[in-house]
């Protein structure tokens, strides 16, 4: 009796010349590149040699797929099937650097043209904007934009560049402007570049929302003189302590957010309105942070006292560790005369200001307390764009050297993010799908080019998903 095989044998793998690549990303890039008329925008800056638009589409497709480096982008594109897809002849990586240089040299006109196209093509329901600024780590020493400054990437040891973004506020959430400054420029100084770049496209009375770091009298005046409105946060001061914080009572305030226990008061002045809030949730978080700080300071004091008691040198973390600095430091703690509870009380008195849980928004537009809080909270959408640029579009770390190539690399990153944002805007069912999953869905749609014995080629498309189908084939929702 012959036994039948119950399971399939493991297939033996044979080498072949077939090639697969993410066609979904390429199709999406080509679709939005054409829709925005980017060929006309970029084509006027390069008429000889390799077609700048084909190179741009290859770079954007790579940025939305593997996205490692310019040299890797050159290797990725310089395969026969990819070259045919982008209508290119073989090239070396210097061609891509020259492309970035060309884009960077003409950045102001390119960004202005992109803005014109966006506002001509889409009838946006409003032109309220969010603005924010962040830093990107820069590798290399040659670019004059690279400066040491406050690093949002927690890399103070590296030079950086500063990037400012303006986006149309919720529910649109499309980036419309990008500015780049030296790595040591703060938000208050950078504000003018970012706001002035987009303000001529905004309707009168549009609301500009930005955080406390960019709040200055000059910036608020700039918005006011432009017939716009602003909403920002401001730092609490001693005057606030005396006039409302010490006398604050929930019974006299309006309950704005029951979930987080947010209460508010509104104070109207001739040129502005202050929206004063107390949050039980924020108070709890800040007090827990203060408790951790008290414990850390107490641990440090005990470590120092133990070194003194044992007649030993101080732990390394309390010393100046620089071979060029010669100094003698003596320490004396108060722990020998204090109980643990007394020590904690002193540390708490130093750490707790009485402003815990309180914050203040300011605007030249008369909003309700609920409106002011909701609009300011929605500003975090631009933080999500920064997260996408750094993690999904993956701009960082910048590894190009000249100033123009830095601008060029950032503009391509901006365009890649713009495509993702337009996808989420046009297809309402994708509004809450993260850029990461949109990118993955497009990457998963692949084409395999099979080389047959007859010499012919066969293309096999695979891994369609509802997301990639909606992006590439479904009629856009806003039309």
């Amino acid at each position: 009796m012959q036994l039948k095989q119950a399971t399939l044998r493991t297939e033996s793998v044979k080498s072949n010349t077939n090639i697969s690549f993410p066609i979904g990303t390429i199709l999406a890039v080509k679709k939005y590149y054409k829709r925005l008329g980017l060929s006309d925008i970029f084509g006027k800056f390069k008429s000889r040699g390799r077609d700048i638009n084909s190179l741009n589409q290859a770079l954007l497709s790579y940025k939305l797929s593997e996205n490692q480096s310019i040299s890797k982008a050159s290797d990725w594109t310089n395969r026969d099937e990819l070259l045919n897809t982008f209508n290119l002849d073989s090239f070396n990586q210097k061609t891509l650097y020259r492309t970035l240089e060309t884009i960077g040299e003409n950045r102001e006109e390119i960004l202005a043209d992109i803005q014109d196209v966006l506002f001509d093509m889409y009838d946006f329901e409003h032109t309220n904007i969010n603005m924010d600024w962040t830093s990107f780590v820069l590798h290399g020493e040659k670019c004059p934009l690279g400066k040491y400054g406050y690093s949002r990437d927690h890399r103070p040891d590296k030079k950086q560049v500063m990037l400012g973004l303006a986006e149309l506020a919720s529910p649109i959430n499309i980036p419309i402007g990008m500015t780049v400054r030296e790595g040591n420029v703060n938000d208050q100084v950078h504000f003018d570049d970012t706001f002035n770049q987009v303000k001529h496209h905004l309707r009168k009375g549009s609301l500009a929302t930005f955080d406390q770091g960019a709040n200055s009298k000059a910036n608020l005046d700039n918005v006011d003189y432009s017939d716009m409105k602003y909403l920002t946060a401001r730092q609490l001061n001693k005057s606030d302590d005396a006039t409302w914080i010490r006398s604050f009572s929930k019974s006299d305030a309006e309950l704005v957010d029951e979930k987080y226990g947010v209460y508010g008061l509104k104070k109207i002045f001739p040129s502005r309105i202050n929206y004063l809030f107390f949050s039980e949730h924020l108070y709890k978080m800040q007090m827990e942070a203060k408790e951790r700080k008290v414990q850390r300071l107490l641990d440090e004091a005990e470590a120092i006292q133990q070194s003194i008691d044992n007649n030993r040198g101080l732990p390394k973390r309390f010393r100046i560790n620089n071979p060029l600095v010669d100094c003698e430091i003596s320490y004396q703690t108060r722990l020998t005369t204090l109980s643990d509870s007394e020590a904690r009380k002193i540390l708490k008195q130093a750490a707790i200001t009485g402003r815990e849980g309180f914050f203040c928004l300011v605007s030249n537009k008369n909003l309700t307390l609920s409106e002011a809080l909701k609009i300011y909270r929605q500003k975090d959408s631009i933080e999500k764009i920064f997260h996408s640029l750094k993690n999904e579009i993956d701009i960082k770390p910048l590894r190009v050297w000249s100033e123009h190539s830095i601008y060029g690399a950032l503009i391509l990153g901006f365009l890649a993010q713009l495509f993702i944002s337009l996808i989420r805007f046009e297809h309402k069912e994708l509004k809450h799908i993260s850029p990461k999953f949109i990118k993955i869905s497009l990457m998963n749609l692949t084409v395999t080019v099979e080389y047959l014995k007859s010499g012919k080629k066969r293309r096999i498309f695979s891994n369609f998903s509802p997301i990639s189908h909606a992006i590439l084939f479904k009629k856009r929702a806003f039309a």
Side-chain angles (χ1 to χ4, degrees), residues 15 45 89 91 223 236 266 296-297 328 357 361 379 413 428 449 453:
S15 177
F45 301 117
D89 294 325
F91 59 89
V223 178
L236 296 170
K266 188 172 171 181
R296 188 183 74 250
L297 293 174
E328 289 186 10
L361 304 180
K379 183 186 66 66
K428 301 305 181 186
V449 181
K453 290 181 180 180

Side-chain angles (χ1 to χ4, degrees), residues 416-453:
Q417 179 60 50
L418 176 61
F419 290 175
I420 295 291
S421 297
L422 286 173
I423 286 170
R424 299 174 78 201
F425 172 68
E426 292 182 353
H427 302 279
K428 301 305 181 186
E429 70 273 28
L430 303 182
K431 176 68 175 177
H432 300 293
I433 302 296
S434 73
K436 177 180 178 179
F437 287 113
I438 290 175
K439 178 181 172 181
I440 290 173
S441 294
L442 290 172
M443 286 176 60
N444 285 344
L445 176 54
T446 59
V447 60
T448 299
V449 181
E450 182 182 10
Y451 294 86
L452 305 174
K453 290 181 180 180

Side-chain angles (χ1 to χ4, degrees), residues 100-225:
L100 294 180
E101 289 273 346
T102 301
I103 295 172
E105 286 173 3
N106 301 281
R107 60 190 178 275
E108 292 180 4
E109 187 173 349
I110 289 170
L111 286 168
D113 287 346
I114 291 172
Q115 285 179 11
D116 290 342
V117 167
L118 286 173
F119 283 91
D120 286 344
M121 179 175 293
Y122 298 96
D123 183 19
F124 295 120
E125 61 189 270
H126 67 73
T127 57
N128 299 330
I129 59 169
N130 299 320
M131 292 185 291
D132 207 350
W133 300 264
T134 192
S135 61
F136 283 84
V137 172
L138 177 64
H139 287 250
E141 298 293 328
K142 295 182 180 180
C143 179
L145 284 171
K147 302 289 183 184
Y148 292 105
Y150 174 67
S151 175
R152 273 79 162 186
D153 294 323
H154 309 292
R155 290 300 306 270
D157 57 315
K158 294 290 186 182
K159 289 185 177 181
Q160 62 182 24
V161 297
M162 298 301 298
L163 183 140
L165 276 184
E167 68 149 358
L168 291 173
S170 183
I172 302 171
N173 302 122
I174 291 175
I176 59 170
M178 182 192 76
T179 54
V180 183
R181 290 293 301 269
E182 298 85 353
N184 58 356
V185 171
N186 65 38
D187 294 355
Q188 286 188 3
V189 174
H190 202 159
F191 177 94
D192 262 0
D193 294 345
T194 308
F195 180 66
N196 292 339
Q197 185 190 65
V198 301
K199 69 180 182 182
H200 62 285
H201 279 295
L202 309 181
R203 301 165 196 158
K204 282 189 177 183
S206 293
L207 182 66
T209 306
F210 48 94
D211 62 22
Q212 179 177 306
N215 183 352
S216 71
K217 185 178 185 306
N219 292 339
L220 300 187
D221 287 345
N222 186 358
V223 178
D224 212 6
Y225 296 155

Side-chain angles (χ1 to χ4, degrees), residues 210-266:
F210 48 94
D211 62 22
Q212 179 177 306
N215 183 352
S216 71
K217 185 178 185 306
N219 292 339
L220 300 187
D221 287 345
N222 186 358
V223 178
D224 212 6
Y225 296 155
S226 302
D227 290 326
M228 309 285 179
K229 303 297 182 180
Y230 59 79
L231 174 65
T232 185
R234 72 165 179 83
Q235 189 172 6
L236 296 170
N237 54 42
K238 291 182 178 179
S239 173
D240 297 310
D241 293 341
T243 57
W244 78 284
I245 290 180
R246 288 176 193 154
S247 60
F248 173 79
S249 171
K250 293 178 186 178
S251 59
D252 296 330
E254 177 185 333
L255 178 59
V256 181
D257 184 340
E258 186 174 358
K259 179 180 179 181
Y260 292 100
V262 181
Y263 297 81
L265 295 170
K266 188 172 171 181

Side-chain angles (χ1 to χ4, degrees), residues 352-389:
I352 296 172
T353 64
R355 298 176 186 171
E356 289 76 19
F358 291 94
F359 61 98
C360 180
L361 304 180
V362 60
S363 178
N364 60 344
K365 183 174 184 177
N366 195 348
L367 304 163
T368 66
L369 285 162
S370 296
E371 288 172 337
L373 184 61
K374 179 181 178 182
I375 292 169
Y376 193 77
R377 281 176 170 174
Q378 288 177 336
K379 183 186 66 66
D380 73 344
S381 60
I382 201 166
E383 294 285 349
K384 293 175 182 176
I385 289 181
F386 282 143
H387 182 274
S388 176
L389 283 171

